[in-house]
């Protein structure tokens, strides 16, 4: 069954601890934390201190999506703050191979993300260094954008490329019940959703609708 990773970008920031407790109760499989540096993307969000503060509020994996330029220095900060998975952007890393190694050396899972315009053929030489591949189905920076349909083809191609290897495909941006089923059909293992999980406040119903 597909895993659902709610993005706290759409949560009530004034009560984040309670929000992630509610998400766990509602059946979330992991908590997606969107870190933005105001440089790689035109928005600013969370730092490692927030990850550390949230850690005691859930036993779910904390899935940290680093939308930052040159993330090398930050990897150990987030790992020691309680991240279980750190995903970096292909476009933001000068030495991706080295950065991915440094994430695994922290004893956690490593992910690589591709912007919508980045082709999947940048992946073959890092497949042995990643636990998940994050396909951005919107341009990173903001919640509430529309799903870019041509990413379905990319998901399917990555699925083929992975074959029997133990790597999960995560899709992020514009996920609603309709686009969720398209992503699942294309081969997605994990769906990140902000807007559609938090809409209306019934997290359990919204998460089930995505599955
Ligand atoms: C966008 C973030 C997403 C975002 C998804 O830069 O990476 O995780 O929160 O939000 P929705 O589900 O609203 O598209
Ligand atoms: Zn994200």
């Amino acid at each position: 069954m597909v895993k659902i990773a709610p993005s706290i970008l759409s949560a009530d920031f004034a009560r984040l601890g309670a929000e992630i407790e509610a998400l766990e109760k509602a059946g979330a499989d992991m908590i997606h934390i969107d870190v933005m540096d105001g440089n790689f993307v035109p928005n600013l969000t969370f730092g490692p201190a927030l990850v550390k503060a949230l850690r005691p509020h859930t036993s779910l994996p904390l899935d940290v999506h680093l939308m930052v330029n040159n993330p090398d220095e930050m990897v150990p900060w987030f790992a020691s703050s309680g991240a279980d998975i750190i995903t970096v952007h292909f476009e933001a890393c000068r030495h991706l191979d080295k950065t991915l190694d440094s994430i695994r050396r922290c004893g956690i899972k490593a992910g690589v993300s591709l912007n919508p315009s980045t082709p999947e053929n940048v992946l073959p030489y890092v497949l042995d260094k990643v636990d998940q591949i994050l396909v951005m189905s919107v341009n990173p920076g903001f919640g509430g954008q529309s799903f870019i349909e041509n990413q379905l083809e990319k998901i399917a191609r990555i699925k083929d490329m992975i074959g029997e290897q133990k790597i999960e495909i995560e899709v992020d941006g514009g996920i609603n019940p309709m686009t969720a089923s398209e992503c699942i059909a294309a081969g997605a293992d994990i769906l990140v959703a902000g807007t559609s999980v938090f809409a209306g406040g019934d997290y359990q119903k919204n998460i089930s609708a995505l599955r």
Side-chain angles (χ1 to χ4, degrees):
M1 189 154 59
V2 73
K3 294 181 190 167
I4 305 296
S7 162
I8 59 166
L9 194 58
S10 299
D12 178 354
F13 289 1
R15 34 190 300 283
L16 272 181
E19 289 277 63
I20 69 166
E21 286 168 19
L23 291 168
E24 180 164 2
K25 256 208 190 126
D29 297 288
M30 50 216 267
I31 303 292
H32 186 82
I33 302 178
D34 285 307
V35 175
M36 304 186 186
D37 68 349
N39 186 344
F40 179 67
V41 289
N43 195 2
L44 270 175
T45 57
F46 318 122
L50 183 104
V51 173
K52 194 172 181 182
L54 292 180
R55 183 67 281 179
H57 289 271
T58 183
S59 55
L60 294 178
L62 298 180
D63 179 36
V64 173
H65 178 191
L66 291 185
M67 285 161 275
V68 307
N69 271 324
N70 303 316
D72 296 83
E73 197 183 0
M74 292 184 198
V75 162
W77 302 347
F78 283 96
S80 64
S81 299
D84 297 280
I85 305 155
I86 293 181
T87 294
V88 293
H89 268 261
F90 163 79
E91 303 83 2
C93 295
R94 192 163 301 180
H95 300 288
L96 179 63
D97 179 279
K98 198 166 127 190
T99 305
L100 292 170
D101 276 347
S102 81
I103 299 173
R104 281 198 171 159
R105 267 203 310 276
C106 294
I108 62 173
K109 289 186 177 177
V112 63
S113 181
L114 304 182
N115 279 337
S117 64
T118 303
E120 67 284 352
N121 64 12
V122 301
L123 295 172
Y125 297 102
V126 293
L127 287 184
D128 59 332
K129 296 176 186 288
V130 296
D131 302 285
Q132 68 181 32
I133 295 167
L134 174 53
V135 175
M136 284 308 301
S137 42
V138 299
N139 285 289
F142 300 95
Q145 305 180 75
S146 302
F147 186 86
I148 300 173
E149 288 285 332
N150 63 14
Q151 298 305 297
L152 291 169
E153 190 183 316
K154 192 194 280 181
I155 296 165
R157 288 191 182 163
I158 294 172
K159 183 81 180 167
D160 271 356
M161 188 192 291
I162 290 173
E164 295 302 305
Q165 297 172 82
K166 258 192 73 196
I167 300 172
E168 291 185 297
I169 302 178
E170 183 174 36
V171 185
D172 186 0
I175 299 293
N176 57 42
M178 215 160 66
T179 56
S181 64
E182 293 178 319
C183 291
I184 295 166
D189 303 293
I190 306 167
L191 301 175
V192 176
T195 305
S196 65
V197 165
F198 287 91
D202 189 340
Y203 304 163
Q204 189 162 5
K205 185 172 131 235
N206 294 345
I207 288 172
S208 318
L210 294 176
R211 288 197 217 275

